[in-house]
Amino acid sequence: MHVPDVSVVVIVYNDAERLPTAVQSVIDQTLQGVEVVIVDDCSKDRSFEVAKELEAAHPGRVRAFQLPQNSGGCGAPRNHGIGQATGTYVMFLDSDDVLERNACRNMLDAAERTGANLVSGMCVRVHLDNRWGKTTEWYPWIYSRTRTLESITEYPDLLVYDTLSTNKCYRRSFLLEQGLEFPVGIHYEDLLFSAQAYVAAGRIALIPNHVYFWNVQEKAASKSISNRRHEIANFVHRMEIHRRVDALLAEKGHDEIKSAKDAKFLKHDLVLHLRDLHLLDDEYRQEFARLANGYLEGIDPAAYDQVNHLQAICAYLLGKEDWVNLLSAAESMTNRGRLTSALAERDGRIYWCAEHVDDPADAEARRILDVTDQGFHTTPLASLALGNRLTSYEDDGRGTVTLSGSVVNPLRRIAEDAPLKAELEFRARRQIGVKSFSFPVEKIDHAGDTIEWSVRADIGKTVRPLGIIDAVWDVRLKLTAGKDRISTRVAVGSVDLERAARLRVRPRLTRLVSDRFEPEITKKGNLSYVLTAEGAAAVRTQALINGAMHGKTAGLVKRSLKKALKTKRNIGSGEQKVKVYHEVFSKLPLKKGLVVFESHMGKQYSDSPRAIYEEMLRQGIDFEAVWSYAGAKPTGFPKDATLVKRWSWQYLRALAQAEFWIDNQGFPLALAKRQGTTYIQTWHGSALKRMGFHEPRTKALGQDGQARFQAAVDRFDHFLIRSEHDSRTLAKAFRLRETALLRAGYPRNDALVAAHGAEAQSGERVRGPLAAELGIDPEKKVLLYAPTFRAAADGSVEGFVFPFDVEEFADRLGDRFTLLVRTHYLNSVTLPPSVEGRVIDVSKQHDITPLLALADGLITDYSSVMFDYAVLDRPMLFFAYDYEAYASDLRGTYFDLKEKAPGPVVATADELLQALSAFEEADAKYAEARQRFLAEFGEYDRGDAARRIVEKFFQGSGK
C-alpha cells in the first residue's frame, strides 16, 4: 500500500456548506500524494453526510470519521485525525478555510531538504466582509525569507507570535514519538500545542510561501469561540493556556522566550479583553481583574519596557483595579491617538493620571505612568484628539434628544478665561448630497480638568438624510476655545442606550424608505445613529438598507440619485474631466517641445524634476515648460514657466499635448499617456519599505485593482535608478521592463556629489547663503533631523509629535549644535519658544537638497533621505524608537536597517542624546560602513545625472 506524503486533517462542526470547498483545496494540491482525513465533531447538520459523500467521490484519497459526541473544541477532532492519518507528514485544516494550491508541495520539499520535524509557512487572513477583498499576511516578517532553525531559541518570535497550528506541516513520527496532542476541554488549544511542538521539534524550517488562507467573517451571526470575549469563561481558558505554556518554558529554561511572550501578552492578549471592558458589568470586571492580576504578578518586569506606553499603563492600572483611569486608558488604546486623561504634572514630568504617582512606596508608578515623551503638553490642542464622553442621554420619544458630555482638558491647557462655544455635528459616514447638520450647544462651561457641555437637538425637524445611502451618521462636537478649534468624537462611555428611543426623521427620498434614527455604539465605543424604519414598511425597508451596499435595486437607486445630485456640477467633476481628457484633449496634436513637470503631486518645486528643468535652462534647450501646482496658489515655483493647477482644464490639456512628462511620484492614475508622449519617471527615493506589487495592500486590490495599478506604472517609459538595489526592489515591485531602467542616478543628488567633491578638494566646508538666512551660528555643528512620514491613527495628516524632548536637546547640546527639523512635506511641527535659535523648523523649505548639503550630520529613522545623504560621506544617526513595530508592519522591509545602517541605531531618547554627545567618535567609527552603504545604494550617483538625461532626451529637440 502506498503511504501518502501528507495527511491533511480537516475538522468540521455544523459546517456542511463550506466543507466541500475546504476538501477540494486539498484534492487540488499540486502534490499528488495527499490524503484527506475528515473528522466530524458530532455535528447536528449534514456535515458528516457531506463528508461521507466526499469519501465516496474520492475513494482512496478521502476518509471520513465522526466522534461519538461533541467535544466542544478543536482539540479532540484533531487528535483523532492524527491517530487516523497514514501520511509521512500531517497538516490541519478547518472546514471554513482553504489551503494554497502549492502548500503541501512547498512544505514537503522544505521538510525533506532540511530534515525538519516541523515546517511553517505564511498564513493569510481573507476578510470576507470586505468589499475590496482585503487580505492581510499573518506576521509576515517571520516569513520574509527561508530559514532553518536548530532550536526555537534561535528565533523566539516564532513561538511568541505565530501560535497557529494550521499553517504548519508536522512529521507524523515526531508527533507520535513526542506524544504531542491538543489539549481537550479547553479553548486556545493552538497556543499550547504550537509551543510544545516548537520546543520539541529541534530542527524547524520556515518558508516564505503562502500556505493557508484563513477566512475571517467579522459580521458572522455566531462568533467564534476566541471572539466571545464578553464571556468570562473565555478569559479563564486563555489564562490557563498561558500558564501551561509558561510552565513549559520554565521547565526547559527558556527565560528569554518567556520575557518576549510576556511582552506579547501585555500588548495583544490583554488588550483584546481591555477593549471591551467598558461594555461589561462590575461583576465581570471584578472576576477579570482577579484572573488577570494573578497572572500579571508573574510577568517579567522587563516586558513593560517592550510595549507602548498605553499598554503598560493599562496593565499597571488593572493591577491597581483603578477602574476610572483604566477605562480611560483602554478607550485611548482602542481609539489610537485619542487623549482621554486630564494628565498630571510633577517636577516637570507629565503623567497619565495624578493617582499613584505620589505614593513613595510605589516605585513603578512614576516610571510606567510617565507620558512626557508623548508630547501631550507641547502638541497644539487642535492637533490632539481630546476625549469626549457622554454623561447623560435623554430623548422625548419623538425626535428630540438632550445630550450632555465632558471633554478632557489636559493639564488645564484650555484656560479658565478662554471664551467657549461649540456645536454638535451629525455627519453622514457616506457623504453624498448634504454632508452634515449642526446644533448650537446651549450650555458649555469650564470645570477644571474638563469642559462640560449640554445640547438639545431636534433631530426630527432638522436632520434630513437622503435614505438608504447615508445609513450611518457619526456625532462630533466642534469646540472653539479661544483661538483653538477642536473637533472630537463623542464616546458613549457608561451611558446606557438600551432604552433609548428611535428618533423620527424625514428622509428626502421618502418615508417608505426609512423614518427612524436608532442610536448605536460603534466598535470603538463612539455614538452613531443608524437609519432604520418602523411600522408596516419596516421589513421591506430594512431589507433595502441591508442591501444598500450590494443589492441590484439599491445600486440602481444609488446611481440614479448620484446622477441627479451631480447634474449641476457634473461638468467639473473628476469623471467628466477624465472623459474630456481622453475623448477631446487627446485628439489634439502633440506639441513639440512641451514638457510638463511635477514634483510630489504638485505640492513642491523640488527634487529631480527641478534639477532636470534647471539643467535644461543652463544648456539653453528650446522647450516650453509647464509646472503643476496643488493648493490655492503656487508658492516658490519658477516665474519663467507656465503654472497650471493640478486637475484644472489647463493641466489636462497640457498633459494630453505634451511631448514629455517628468515627475517623481505619479501623474493621475486615470489619465492614459498618449503614444507620442515620453514619460520620464525620476522617482523620489530608494526603498526600505516594500513597494508596489510587493505590498500586501496592492496584492489585496484584486485582479481589476491590480490591473489598473499595472496600467498606471506601465506608462513609465524611463525610470531612474541610483543602484542595483533599486533594480531588485523598485523595478521589480512595479514590474518594470529592463529597458525602461535608466542607471543614471538622481539629478537631485548632483548638487550633493558636487558639494562632497569640492569639500574633499579644498578640505573646507562651505555652508553658503542658507546658513546665514537661517541665522546659524558658524561656530556650531549643524544637525538635520528628517524623520519619515507620520500619520495619525486614522490615517489623517496631523502635526508631528517629537519622539524626544527638544527642550532637553537644546539645554544639553544647544551650545554645540543647531538642530534643523525637517518633517515630511505632509506633516507640520510646532516648536516650543524656549528652543528658539537652537532648534529651527525648516519644514517649509521645499527642496531638501540644500539642507542636506548644509548639515554636518543627519538624524533620521527610516526616511529614504538616508540614501541621498550617504553621497556626502557625513555622519548619520538612526533614531529608530519604534523599530520593532515598523519592521514587523504588514508592509515589510527589503532589508534589516540594523544590519546595514551606516551609523548608530538607537531606540530611546537617552541613547539619542548620548550618541550625539559622541558625535565625532561616530564619524570615524562608521567611515567604512558609510562607504559600503553608498556603494550598495548609490553606485550610480556620479554627479552628472541631470546632464546625461538632458543630453539623451533634449539635445537636438525643441519646438
Side-chain angles (χ1 to χ4, degrees), residues 714-732:
D714 282 346
R715 299 178 302 174
F716 303 162
D717 294 298
H718 305 283
F719 187 90
L720 270 59
I721 63 173
R722 54 197 306 265
S723 69
E724 286 308 302
H725 168 77
D726 292 350
S727 175
R728 295 188 298 270
T729 56
L730 291 171
K732 292 190 182 305

Side-chain angles (χ1 to χ4, degrees), residues 722-726 728 867 895 900 930-939:
R722 54 197 306 265
S723 69
E724 286 308 302
H725 168 77
D726 292 350
R728 295 188 298 270
F867 302 109
F895 63 88
K900 293 182 180 287
R930 291 199 300 272
Q931 290 301 313
R932 289 195 300 270
F933 192 80
L934 177 61
E936 181 171 0
F937 299 108
E939 58 187 300

